[in-house]
């Protein structure tokens, strides 16, 4: 699945088309430049650094002959998506902001800047437009999956955040729209670009992949051998009946199978698995639920349970938990010996909080394709959940 087709470039386009520099590693750019440019390929390293580190692409500025500079533009492109809008909310730790970006085919993706205190910001990036996983507590699920993002579209979220919006991004979490492990073709090259020292150069420790528990995806992520990369799973219930109700992925991969693959996922001795648990009043907050979480976590090894108070979207599954309910559940988890961190709610008022990303308008467009979208490449709805063995998203 991960092997590159000889007919496809890294950014998913045909080999003869322009390559998007944002989706390439420095070695790939150098190799492609050598193959395609008889003159001027020697500046590939500088071009790469300027694009990925400073967000600019100007082959004319390196003293090349005009024909050599034009050849760069003929074979390579570097175009960041347009910022459609930015909404923000002030919190104790700083400004939480959501940026909506226009993609080449008229669709949109969203990324969120999360202040983590002490001036450190995390960018929550999307890996897909919409999502087919159908988690009942999630706004994105209501869109269904429109399409996956290419590596360059994933990377572009960071580049726009840094160079167009001036956001100071330290860490990245793949926790925006979409299931990251349902898009390994975009995710894996994006991870390689993010950690390429000749460009963005982020350390693996600063990257976290979040998944609902795609078993094969977790295995393939492990096979990459990125030992410092962080992984978190979205648990939300530790009994099969409730989890299958909340998260259709559990109907095809039960908790026992998830546990088995997570027990085998030990990329380094001190690895700590993130276990995300969305608090849903009247559904998963009882003492029996806390005990089930502890029993699920015990054989896995070191974990950190991230408790996330539910953020109601446009068609809420339930209400947001009260402070007392949150504190009580955290205490129950701790009484079982689990380390717990509470995720402070950020961006709820501007639909930028966890589980609130998604553009319902795009969902309507998807149902009645406009002339624009119907003709745009890649904009067709991908086969929905059935193809992946996941239940249809809830139509609410
Ligand atoms: S929680 Fe994540 S995996 Fe589940 S539907 Fe929402 S975006 Fe998809």
């Amino acid at each position: 699945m991960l092997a590159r087709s000889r007919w496809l470039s890294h950014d998913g386009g045909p080999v003869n088309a322009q390559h998007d520099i944002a989706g390439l590693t420095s070695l790939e750019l150098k190799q492609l430049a050598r193959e395609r440019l008889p003159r001027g390929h020697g500046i590939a390293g500088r071009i790469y650094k300027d694009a990925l580190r400073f967000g600019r692409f100007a082959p004319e500025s390196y003293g090349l002959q005009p024909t050599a500079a034009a050849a760069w533009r003929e074979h390579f492109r570097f175009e960041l998506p347009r910022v459609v809008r930015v909404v923000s909310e002030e919190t104790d730790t700083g400004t939480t902001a959501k940026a909506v970006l226009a993609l080449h085919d008229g669709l949109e993706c969203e990324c969120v800047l999360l202040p983590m205190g002490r001036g450190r910001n995390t960018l929550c990036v999307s890996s897909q437009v919409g999502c087919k996983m159908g988690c009942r507590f999630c706004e994105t699920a209501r869109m269904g999956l429109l399409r996956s993002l290419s590596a360059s579209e994933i990377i572009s979220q960071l580049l726009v955040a840094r160079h167009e919006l001036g956001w100071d991004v330290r860490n990245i979490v793949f926790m925006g729209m979409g299931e990251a492990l349902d898009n390994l073709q975009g995710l894996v090259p994006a991870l390689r670009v993010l950690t390429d020292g000749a460009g963005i150069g982020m350390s693996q420790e600063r990257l976290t992949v979040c998944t609902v528990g795609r078993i094969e995806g977790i295995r393939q992520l492990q096979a990459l051998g990125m030992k410092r990369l962080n992984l978190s799973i979205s648990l939300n219930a530790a009994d099969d009946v409730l989890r299958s109700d909340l998260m259709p992925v559990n109907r095809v991969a039960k908790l026992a199978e998830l546990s088995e693959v997570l027990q085998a996922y030990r990329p380094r001795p001190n690895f700590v698995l993130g276990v995300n648990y969305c608090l849903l009043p009247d559904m998963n907050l009882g003492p029996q639920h806390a005990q089930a979480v502890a029993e699920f976590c015990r054989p896995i090894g070191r974990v950190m349970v991230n408790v996330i108070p539910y953020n109601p979207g446009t068609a809420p599954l339930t209400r947001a938990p009260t402070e007392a309910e949150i504190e009580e559940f955290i205490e129950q988890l701790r009484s079982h010996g689990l380390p717990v961190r509470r995720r402070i709610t950020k961006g709820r008022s501007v639909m930028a909080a966890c589980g609130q990303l998604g553009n319902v308008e795009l969902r309507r467009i998807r149902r009645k394709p406009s002339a624009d979208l119907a003709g745009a490449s890649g904009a067709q709805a991908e086969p929905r959940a059935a193809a992946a063995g996941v239940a249809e998203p809830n139509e609410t």
Side-chain angles (χ1 to χ4, degrees):
M1 180 177 179
L2 296 180
R4 185 89 41 82
S5 159
R6 61 188 289 240
W7 304 114
L8 291 180
S9 69
H10 212 310
D11 52 9
V15 285
N16 292 326
Q18 273 186 320
H19 292 274
D20 192 333
I21 294 173
L24 300 172
T25 64
S26 55
L27 285 178
E28 286 165 339
L29 179 66
K30 285 175 186 170
Q31 187 180 332
L32 287 166
R34 261 197 308 273
E35 289 168 6
R36 282 157 179 71
L37 306 175
R39 287 192 302 277
H41 59 259
I43 60 163
R46 289 163 66 194
I47 293 245
Y48 190 79
K49 181 177 171 185
D50 282 350
L52 275 293
R53 213 173 276 182
F54 305 113
R56 57 177 183 244
F57 177 55
E60 301 78 11
S61 64
Y62 301 95
L64 293 176
Q65 294 287 335
T67 51
W72 266 99
R73 289 201 180 273
E74 186 187 332
H75 291 280
F76 299 95
R77 67 176 189 277
F78 183 76
E79 291 161 7
L80 298 183
R82 180 174 58 84
V83 178
V84 178
R85 63 184 169 278
V86 175
V87 288
S88 61
E89 176 190 289
E90 291 304 318
T91 57
D92 286 352
T93 47
T95 304
T96 296
K98 175 170 83 171
V100 179
L101 309 181
L103 303 172
H104 67 90
D105 54 8
L107 295 177
E108 293 174 351
C109 72
E110 302 179 359
C111 59
V112 179
L113 186 76
L114 298 163
M116 307 308 284
R118 290 182 291 165
R120 293 179 179 176
N121 296 319
T122 292
L123 189 70
C124 179
V125 298
S126 296
S127 51
Q128 297 178 313
V129 182
C131 184
K132 70 183 177 196
M133 294 297 128
C135 304
R136 287 181 60 206
F137 45 82
C138 173
E139 187 76 9
T140 310
R142 300 183 64 230
M143 296 171 66
L145 176 65
L146 296 178
R147 71 171 172 87
S148 288
L149 297 179
S150 66
S152 63
E153 287 171 329
I154 294 172
I155 297 297
S156 289
Q157 295 170 62
L158 171 66
L159 297 177
V160 167
R162 281 183 166 170
H163 306 299
E164 305 265 321
L165 299 171
W167 293 353
D168 183 10
V169 176
R170 181 181 169 82
N171 301 310
I172 289 188
V173 292
F174 289 84
M175 212 175 169
M177 293 165 71
E179 159 60 39
L181 296 186
D182 192 42
N183 178 22
L184 285 161
Q185 245 170 333
L187 174 72
V188 171
L191 291 173
R192 293 196 173 117
V193 174
L194 287 168
T195 52
D196 188 330
I200 295 170
M202 292 179 95
S203 62
Q204 292 176 23
E205 287 95 333
R206 288 162 59 190
L207 308 175
T208 302
V209 174
C210 183
T211 176
V212 286
R214 299 286 281 169
I215 303 292
E216 196 46 40
I218 294 171
R219 290 200 182 105
Q220 294 198 34
L221 197 65
Q222 185 171 22
L224 292 179
M226 299 181 85
K227 293 185 183 304
R228 314 295 307 173
L229 186 68
N230 296 308
L231 176 69
S232 68
I233 59 148
S234 186
L235 184 64
N236 308 315
D239 75 80
D240 277 320
V241 174
L242 179 56
R243 194 164 191 268
S244 293
D245 181 42
L246 293 173
M247 303 172 69
V249 70
N250 201 74
R251 297 174 202 161
V252 288
K254 295 276 191 287
L255 284 161
E257 199 181 347
L258 179 59
S259 176
E260 196 179 317
V261 77
L262 292 174
Q263 287 175 51
Y265 191 92
R266 306 305 308 168
R268 55 185 185 273
N270 63 350
F271 172 71
V272 179
L273 176 75
V275 175
N276 300 334
Y277 197 94
C278 178
L279 298 188
L280 301 160
D282 308 320
M283 301 186 93
N284 67 355
L285 288 186
Q288 73 278 23
H289 300 119
Q291 184 175 344
V293 172
E295 285 168 10
F296 176 80
C297 291
R298 201 164 292 127
I300 289 173
R302 292 180 68 187
V303 300
M304 171 60 73
V305 181
N306 299 306
V307 162
I308 305 169
Y310 174 60
N311 296 302
T314 56
L317 180 64
T318 182
R319 60 179 169 80
T322 63
E323 277 302 306
E325 286 170 328
I326 297 168
E327 287 307 317
E328 191 180 340
F329 193 72
I330 288 174
E331 274 318 302
Q332 286 167 5
L333 292 174
R334 288 192 173 135
S335 72
H336 290 288
L338 288 171
V340 184
R341 204 165 37 193
R342 175 180 171 179
R343 188 84 56 79
I344 302 298
T345 301
K346 295 170 184 147
R348 187 184 281 172
S349 70
V350 290
M351 292 292 282
C354 247
Q356 288 189 314
L357 301 189
N359 181 334
V360 177
E361 183 60 29
L362 282 179
R363 179 175 173 239
R364 283 194 213 109
I365 292 169
R366 175 175 175 255
R367 281 180 167 168
K368 293 182 189 170
S370 69
D372 278 358
L373 280 178
S377 64
Q380 309 95 316
E382 292 188 12
R384 293 182 78 180
V390 173
E392 286 283 307
N394 287 283
E395 298 295 333
T396 48

